Amino acid sequence: MSLEALRGMLGNASLLLLFGIFYSLLPLRISSLRLPVRLGVGGLLGILGILLMVTAWELEPGLIFDTRSVLLALSGLFFGTLPSAVAVAFTAAYRLWLGGVGTVTGVGVIVSSAALGLLWRHRFPGRRGWVDLFLLGLGVHLVMLGWMLAMPRETALATLRVISGPVLLLYPLATMLLGKLMQAQWEQRSVAQERAAHARRLERILGGSWGILSLLDEKLE
């Protein structure tokens, strides 16, 4: 892979920071949001996925590479089923519209990335450490490389020779780093909410205690 292509992929990956910022603005329990809001969240994720494809590195006409796989895998893991399904619909529709030799491969990567994120969410709900997130990213991108075989044989083999190294080096790492950032945000906000709830309970207890003491004081007088 050329240095220019590598720079393009890294620049594309930098757009994923928007994903982390977006996540930090949402409630901890996204499933508690109203249905129209969750649909809107999925739409925004889909638009970000399209932006990633717009700024993708093009190996040849109709064969593009970007970080939508990272976005959709983490969407499945952190955002859940409905927002991820909407994001998949947006990004898959755009990829179909682009067309080209990599269309089936591109749509397959979109669907499988979100599906693996959702599978991890439901199968391993508490496993979001560094190693866990790296393994998720590695699995997603091994499947991604497998989708290259949906293209004509010569194109698939030539593509795999070019992208396998960078994809397995950079993409699982990006999944791990961004996923850990999002998990850290979740943990910090969860602790802050628990402390606030504890402070409110303590305030109610103390308020009740002062009320009782005031009544006793009045009776004694």
Short mmCIF file of all heavy atoms in Angstrom, two decimals, residues 165-210:
data_model
loop_
_atom_site.label_atom_id
_atom_site.label_comp_id
_atom_site.label_asym_id
_atom_site.label_seq_id
_atom_site.Cartn_x
_atom_site.Cartn_y
_atom_site.Cartn_z
N GLY A 165 -2.42 -6.54 5.20
CA GLY A 165 -1.53 -6.06 6.25
C GLY A 165 -2.05 -4.81 6.94
O GLY A 165 -2.23 -4.80 8.17
N PRO A 166 -2.30 -3.73 6.19
CA PRO A 166 -2.80 -2.51 6.83
C PRO A 166 -4.13 -2.71 7.56
O PRO A 166 -4.33 -2.16 8.64
CB PRO A 166 -2.96 -1.54 5.65
CG PRO A 166 -2.00 -2.04 4.64
CD PRO A 166 -1.99 -3.53 4.78
N VAL A 167 -5.04 -3.49 6.98
CA VAL A 167 -6.35 -3.70 7.62
C VAL A 167 -6.18 -4.41 8.95
O VAL A 167 -6.76 -4.00 9.97
CB VAL A 167 -7.28 -4.50 6.68
CG1 VAL A 167 -8.46 -5.09 7.46
CG2 VAL A 167 -7.81 -3.61 5.57
N LEU A 168 -5.39 -5.47 8.99
CA LEU A 168 -5.22 -6.22 10.24
C LEU A 168 -4.34 -5.49 11.24
O LEU A 168 -4.41 -5.76 12.44
CB LEU A 168 -4.63 -7.60 9.94
CG LEU A 168 -5.57 -8.54 9.17
CD1 LEU A 168 -4.89 -9.87 8.90
CD2 LEU A 168 -6.88 -8.75 9.91
N LEU A 169 -3.55 -4.55 10.78
CA LEU A 169 -2.70 -3.76 11.68
C LEU A 169 -3.45 -2.58 12.27
O LEU A 169 -3.39 -2.32 13.48
CB LEU A 169 -1.46 -3.27 10.93
CG LEU A 169 -0.51 -2.34 11.72
CD1 LEU A 169 0.12 -3.11 12.88
CD2 LEU A 169 0.56 -1.76 10.81
N LEU A 170 -4.17 -1.85 11.43
CA LEU A 170 -4.76 -0.59 11.84
C LEU A 170 -6.20 -0.71 12.35
O LEU A 170 -6.57 -0.07 13.33
CB LEU A 170 -4.72 0.41 10.68
CG LEU A 170 -3.34 0.82 10.18
CD1 LEU A 170 -3.47 1.74 8.97
CD2 LEU A 170 -2.56 1.52 11.29
N TYR A 171 -7.01 -1.50 11.69
CA TYR A 171 -8.44 -1.47 11.99
C TYR A 171 -8.80 -2.08 13.35
O TYR A 171 -9.60 -1.51 14.09
CB TYR A 171 -9.23 -2.14 10.87
CG TYR A 171 -9.39 -1.29 9.63
CD1 TYR A 171 -8.46 -0.31 9.29
CD2 TYR A 171 -10.47 -1.46 8.79
CE1 TYR A 171 -8.60 0.46 8.16
CE2 TYR A 171 -10.62 -0.69 7.64
CZ TYR A 171 -9.69 0.26 7.33
OH TYR A 171 -9.83 1.03 6.20
N PRO A 172 -8.23 -3.24 13.74
CA PRO A 172 -8.50 -3.72 15.10
C PRO A 172 -8.00 -2.75 16.16
O PRO A 172 -8.64 -2.58 17.20
CB PRO A 172 -7.74 -5.06 15.15
CG PRO A 172 -7.66 -5.49 13.73
CD PRO A 172 -7.48 -4.23 12.95
N LEU A 173 -6.86 -2.10 15.88
CA LEU A 173 -6.34 -1.11 16.81
C LEU A 173 -7.29 0.08 16.95
O LEU A 173 -7.55 0.56 18.05
CB LEU A 173 -4.97 -0.64 16.33
CG LEU A 173 -4.19 0.29 17.25
CD1 LEU A 173 -3.88 -0.41 18.57
CD2 LEU A 173 -2.89 0.75 16.58
N ALA A 174 -7.83 0.55 15.81
CA ALA A 174 -8.79 1.65 15.85
C ALA A 174 -10.05 1.24 16.59
O ALA A 174 -10.62 2.03 17.37
CB ALA A 174 -9.14 2.07 14.42
N THR A 175 -10.51 0.02 16.39
CA THR A 175 -11.69 -0.48 17.11
C THR A 175 -11.44 -0.50 18.60
O THR A 175 -12.29 -0.08 19.40
CB THR A 175 -12.04 -1.90 16.62
OG1 THR A 175 -12.20 -1.90 15.20
CG2 THR A 175 -13.32 -2.39 17.27
N MET A 176 -10.26 -0.98 18.99
CA MET A 176 -9.92 -1.06 20.41
C MET A 176 -9.83 0.32 21.05
O MET A 176 -10.41 0.57 22.12
CB MET A 176 -8.59 -1.79 20.57
CG MET A 176 -8.10 -1.90 22.01
SD MET A 176 -6.48 -2.70 22.14
CE MET A 176 -5.44 -1.39 21.45
N LEU A 177 -9.13 1.25 20.40
CA LEU A 177 -8.92 2.58 20.99
C LEU A 177 -10.22 3.36 21.10
O LEU A 177 -10.52 3.94 22.15
CB LEU A 177 -7.90 3.36 20.16
CG LEU A 177 -6.46 2.82 20.19
CD1 LEU A 177 -5.58 3.59 19.22
CD2 LEU A 177 -5.89 2.89 21.60
N LEU A 178 -11.01 3.37 20.02
CA LEU A 178 -12.26 4.12 20.06
C LEU A 178 -13.25 3.45 21.00
O LEU A 178 -13.96 4.12 21.76
CB LEU A 178 -12.84 4.22 18.65
CG LEU A 178 -14.15 5.03 18.53
CD1 LEU A 178 -13.96 6.45 19.06
CD2 LEU A 178 -14.63 5.05 17.08
N GLY A 179 -13.31 2.12 20.97
CA GLY A 179 -14.21 1.41 21.87
C GLY A 179 -13.86 1.65 23.32
O GLY A 179 -14.75 1.83 24.17
N LYS A 180 -12.58 1.68 23.64
CA LYS A 180 -12.17 1.91 25.03
C LYS A 180 -12.50 3.34 25.46
O LYS A 180 -12.87 3.58 26.61
CB LYS A 180 -10.68 1.63 25.18
CG LYS A 180 -10.24 1.48 26.63
CD LYS A 180 -10.99 0.36 27.33
CE LYS A 180 -10.63 0.26 28.80
NZ LYS A 180 -11.46 -0.73 29.51
N LEU A 181 -12.34 4.29 24.54
CA LEU A 181 -12.71 5.68 24.83
C LEU A 181 -14.20 5.77 25.16
O LEU A 181 -14.60 6.42 26.14
CB LEU A 181 -12.38 6.57 23.64
CG LEU A 181 -12.86 8.01 23.71
CD1 LEU A 181 -12.20 8.75 24.87
CD2 LEU A 181 -12.60 8.75 22.40
N MET A 182 -15.03 5.10 24.36
CA MET A 182 -16.47 5.12 24.59
C MET A 182 -16.83 4.41 25.89
O MET A 182 -17.70 4.87 26.64
CB MET A 182 -17.19 4.49 23.39
CG MET A 182 -17.03 5.29 22.11
SD MET A 182 -17.58 4.43 20.63
CE MET A 182 -19.35 4.40 20.90
N GLN A 183 -16.17 3.30 26.18
CA GLN A 183 -16.44 2.59 27.43
C GLN A 183 -16.04 3.42 28.63
O GLN A 183 -16.74 3.43 29.65
CB GLN A 183 -15.68 1.26 27.43
CG GLN A 183 -15.88 0.41 28.68
CD GLN A 183 -17.31 -0.03 28.88
OE1 GLN A 183 -18.12 0.01 27.95
NE2 GLN A 183 -17.64 -0.47 30.09
N ALA A 184 -14.91 4.13 28.54
CA ALA A 184 -14.48 5.00 29.64
C ALA A 184 -15.49 6.12 29.87
O ALA A 184 -15.80 6.47 31.02
CB ALA A 184 -13.10 5.57 29.33
N GLN A 185 -16.02 6.68 28.78
CA GLN A 185 -17.06 7.70 28.91
C GLN A 185 -18.27 7.13 29.63
O GLN A 185 -18.84 7.77 30.52
CB GLN A 185 -17.47 8.20 27.52
CG GLN A 185 -16.43 9.04 26.82
CD GLN A 185 -16.86 9.41 25.41
OE1 GLN A 185 -17.83 8.87 24.86
NE2 GLN A 185 -16.14 10.33 24.80
N TRP A 186 -18.67 5.93 29.24
CA TRP A 186 -19.84 5.29 29.85
C TRP A 186 -19.62 5.07 31.35
O TRP A 186 -20.49 5.36 32.17
CB TRP A 186 -20.11 3.95 29.16
CG TRP A 186 -21.40 3.32 29.58
CD1 TRP A 186 -22.63 3.47 29.00
CD2 TRP A 186 -21.61 2.45 30.71
NE1 TRP A 186 -23.58 2.74 29.69
CE2 TRP A 186 -22.98 2.10 30.75
CE3 TRP A 186 -20.75 1.92 31.68
CZ2 TRP A 186 -23.51 1.26 31.71
CZ3 TRP A 186 -21.29 1.08 32.66
CH2 TRP A 186 -22.64 0.76 32.66
N GLU A 187 -18.45 4.58 31.71
CA GLU A 187 -18.15 4.30 33.12
C GLU A 187 -18.12 5.57 33.94
O GLU A 187 -18.65 5.61 35.07
CB GLU A 187 -16.82 3.55 33.22
CG GLU A 187 -16.88 2.13 32.67
CD GLU A 187 -15.52 1.47 32.60
OE1 GLU A 187 -14.51 2.18 32.87
OE2 GLU A 187 -15.45 0.28 32.26
N GLN A 188 -17.51 6.64 33.42
CA GLN A 188 -17.45 7.90 34.15
C GLN A 188 -18.84 8.48 34.37
O GLN A 188 -19.17 8.95 35.46
CB GLN A 188 -16.57 8.89 33.39
CG GLN A 188 -15.09 8.54 33.41
CD GLN A 188 -14.26 9.43 32.51
OE1 GLN A 188 -14.78 10.33 31.85
NE2 GLN A 188 -12.97 9.18 32.45
N ARG A 189 -19.65 8.46 33.32
CA ARG A 189 -21.00 9.00 33.44
C ARG A 189 -21.85 8.14 34.37
O ARG A 189 -22.69 8.64 35.12
CB ARG A 189 -21.63 9.10 32.06
CG ARG A 189 -20.97 10.16 31.18
CD ARG A 189 -21.26 9.94 29.72
NE ARG A 189 -22.66 10.05 29.43
CZ ARG A 189 -23.25 9.54 28.35
NH1 ARG A 189 -22.52 8.86 27.47
NH2 ARG A 189 -24.53 9.70 28.15
N SER A 190 -21.64 6.82 34.35
CA SER A 190 -22.39 5.93 35.23
C SER A 190 -22.05 6.20 36.69
O SER A 190 -22.95 6.27 37.55
CB SER A 190 -22.06 4.47 34.88
OG SER A 190 -22.77 3.59 35.73
N VAL A 191 -20.76 6.37 36.98
CA VAL A 191 -20.35 6.67 38.35
C VAL A 191 -20.92 8.02 38.79
O VAL A 191 -21.40 8.16 39.93
CB VAL A 191 -18.81 6.68 38.45
CG1 VAL A 191 -18.35 7.27 39.78
CG2 VAL A 191 -18.27 5.27 38.28
N ALA A 192 -20.90 9.02 37.90
CA ALA A 192 -21.43 10.34 38.24
C ALA A 192 -22.93 10.26 38.55
O ALA A 192 -23.40 10.90 39.49
CB ALA A 192 -21.18 11.31 37.09
N GLN A 193 -23.65 9.48 37.77
CA GLN A 193 -25.09 9.33 38.01
C GLN A 193 -25.36 8.63 39.34
O GLN A 193 -26.27 8.99 40.08
CB GLN A 193 -25.74 8.57 36.86
CG GLN A 193 -25.92 9.40 35.60
CD GLN A 193 -26.82 8.71 34.59
OE1 GLN A 193 -27.41 7.65 34.84
NE2 GLN A 193 -26.93 9.31 33.42
N GLU A 194 -24.56 7.60 39.65
CA GLU A 194 -24.73 6.88 40.91
C GLU A 194 -24.45 7.79 42.10
O GLU A 194 -25.17 7.75 43.11
CB GLU A 194 -23.81 5.66 40.94
CG GLU A 194 -24.24 4.54 40.02
CD GLU A 194 -23.29 3.37 40.07
OE1 GLU A 194 -22.33 3.42 40.88
OE2 GLU A 194 -23.49 2.40 39.31
N ARG A 195 -23.44 8.62 41.98
CA ARG A 195 -23.12 9.54 43.07
C ARG A 195 -24.22 10.56 43.25
O ARG A 195 -24.59 10.90 44.39
CB ARG A 195 -21.79 10.24 42.78
CG ARG A 195 -20.57 9.35 42.95
CD ARG A 195 -19.30 10.08 42.58
NE ARG A 195 -18.11 9.24 42.83
CZ ARG A 195 -16.89 9.57 42.47
NH1 ARG A 195 -16.66 10.73 41.84
NH2 ARG A 195 -15.89 8.76 42.72
N ALA A 196 -24.76 11.06 42.14
CA ALA A 196 -25.85 12.02 42.24
C ALA A 196 -27.08 11.40 42.87
O ALA A 196 -27.76 12.02 43.70
CB ALA A 196 -26.18 12.57 40.84
N ALA A 197 -27.39 10.15 42.49
CA ALA A 197 -28.55 9.46 43.07
C ALA A 197 -28.33 9.22 44.56
O ALA A 197 -29.26 9.37 45.36
CB ALA A 197 -28.79 8.15 42.34
N HIS A 198 -27.10 8.84 44.93
CA HIS A 198 -26.78 8.63 46.35
C HIS A 198 -26.92 9.92 47.13
O HIS A 198 -27.44 9.93 48.26
CB HIS A 198 -25.36 8.08 46.47
CG HIS A 198 -24.92 7.85 47.89
ND1 HIS A 198 -25.42 6.82 48.65
CD2 HIS A 198 -24.04 8.53 48.69
CE1 HIS A 198 -24.86 6.87 49.86
NE2 HIS A 198 -24.03 7.90 49.89
N ALA A 199 -26.46 11.03 46.55
CA ALA A 199 -26.57 12.33 47.23
C ALA A 199 -28.03 12.71 47.43
O ALA A 199 -28.41 13.25 48.48
CB ALA A 199 -25.85 13.40 46.41
N ARG A 200 -28.87 12.44 46.44
CA ARG A 200 -30.30 12.75 46.57
C ARG A 200 -30.94 11.90 47.67
O ARG A 200 -31.76 12.40 48.44
CB ARG A 200 -31.01 12.55 45.24
CG ARG A 200 -30.67 13.60 44.18
CD ARG A 200 -31.63 13.53 43.00
NE ARG A 200 -31.51 12.27 42.28
CZ ARG A 200 -30.70 12.07 41.25
NH1 ARG A 200 -29.90 13.06 40.84
NH2 ARG A 200 -30.66 10.90 40.64
N ARG A 201 -30.59 10.61 47.72
CA ARG A 201 -31.15 9.74 48.77
C ARG A 201 -30.71 10.22 50.16
O ARG A 201 -31.52 10.26 51.10
CB ARG A 201 -30.69 8.30 48.55
CG ARG A 201 -31.37 7.60 47.37
CD ARG A 201 -31.15 6.10 47.43
NE ARG A 201 -29.74 5.75 47.32
CZ ARG A 201 -29.11 5.51 46.18
NH1 ARG A 201 -29.78 5.58 45.04
NH2 ARG A 201 -27.83 5.19 46.16
N LEU A 202 -29.43 10.57 50.27
CA LEU A 202 -28.92 11.05 51.55
C LEU A 202 -29.61 12.35 51.96
O LEU A 202 -29.94 12.55 53.14
CB LEU A 202 -27.40 11.27 51.44
CG LEU A 202 -26.67 11.66 52.74
CD1 LEU A 202 -26.85 10.58 53.78
CD2 LEU A 202 -25.20 11.90 52.45
N GLU A 203 -29.86 13.21 50.99
CA GLU A 203 -30.54 14.48 51.27
C GLU A 203 -31.96 14.23 51.77
O GLU A 203 -32.43 14.89 52.71
CB GLU A 203 -30.57 15.32 50.00
CG GLU A 203 -31.14 16.72 50.22
CD GLU A 203 -31.10 17.56 48.95
OE1 GLU A 203 -30.55 17.07 47.94
OE2 GLU A 203 -31.62 18.68 48.98
N ARG A 204 -32.65 13.26 51.16
CA ARG A 204 -34.01 12.95 51.61
C ARG A 204 -34.00 12.37 53.03
O ARG A 204 -34.85 12.70 53.86
CB ARG A 204 -34.66 11.96 50.65
CG ARG A 204 -35.07 12.56 49.32
CD ARG A 204 -36.04 11.65 48.58
NE ARG A 204 -35.43 10.36 48.25
CZ ARG A 204 -34.80 10.11 47.11
NH1 ARG A 204 -34.69 11.07 46.20
NH2 ARG A 204 -34.31 8.92 46.87
N ILE A 205 -33.01 11.49 53.30
CA ILE A 205 -32.93 10.90 54.64
C ILE A 205 -32.65 11.97 55.69
O ILE A 205 -33.30 12.03 56.74
CB ILE A 205 -31.82 9.82 54.67
CG1 ILE A 205 -32.24 8.63 53.80
CG2 ILE A 205 -31.55 9.37 56.10
CD1 ILE A 205 -31.12 7.63 53.58
N LEU A 206 -31.68 12.84 55.38
CA LEU A 206 -31.35 13.90 56.33
C LEU A 206 -32.50 14.88 56.50
O LEU A 206 -32.77 15.37 57.60
CB LEU A 206 -30.08 14.63 55.87
CG LEU A 206 -28.79 13.81 55.93
CD1 LEU A 206 -27.64 14.61 55.33
CD2 LEU A 206 -28.47 13.42 57.36
N GLY A 207 -33.17 15.16 55.38
CA GLY A 207 -34.32 16.06 55.45
C GLY A 207 -35.41 15.49 56.34
O GLY A 207 -36.01 16.20 57.17
N GLY A 208 -35.65 14.17 56.20
CA GLY A 208 -36.64 13.53 57.06
C GLY A 208 -36.22 13.53 58.50
O GLY A 208 -37.03 13.73 59.41
N SER A 209 -34.92 13.30 58.72
CA SER A 209 -34.42 13.29 60.11
C SER A 209 -34.57 14.65 60.76
O SER A 209 -34.98 14.76 61.92
CB SER A 209 -32.94 12.88 60.11
OG SER A 209 -32.78 11.59 59.56
N TRP A 210 -34.24 15.72 60.02
CA TRP A 210 -34.39 17.06 60.58
C TRP A 210 -35.86 17.36 60.86
O TRP A 210 -36.20 18.04 61.85
CB TRP A 210 -33.83 18.10 59.61
CG TRP A 210 -32.33 18.20 59.65
CD1 TRP A 210 -31.47 17.91 58.67
CD2 TRP A 210 -31.55 18.62 60.77
NE1 TRP A 210 -30.16 18.11 59.07
CE2 TRP A 210 -30.19 18.55 60.37
CE3 TRP A 210 -31.85 19.05 62.07
CZ2 TRP A 210 -29.15 18.88 61.21
CZ3 TRP A 210 -30.79 19.39 62.92
CH2 TRP A 210 -29.47 19.30 62.50
#
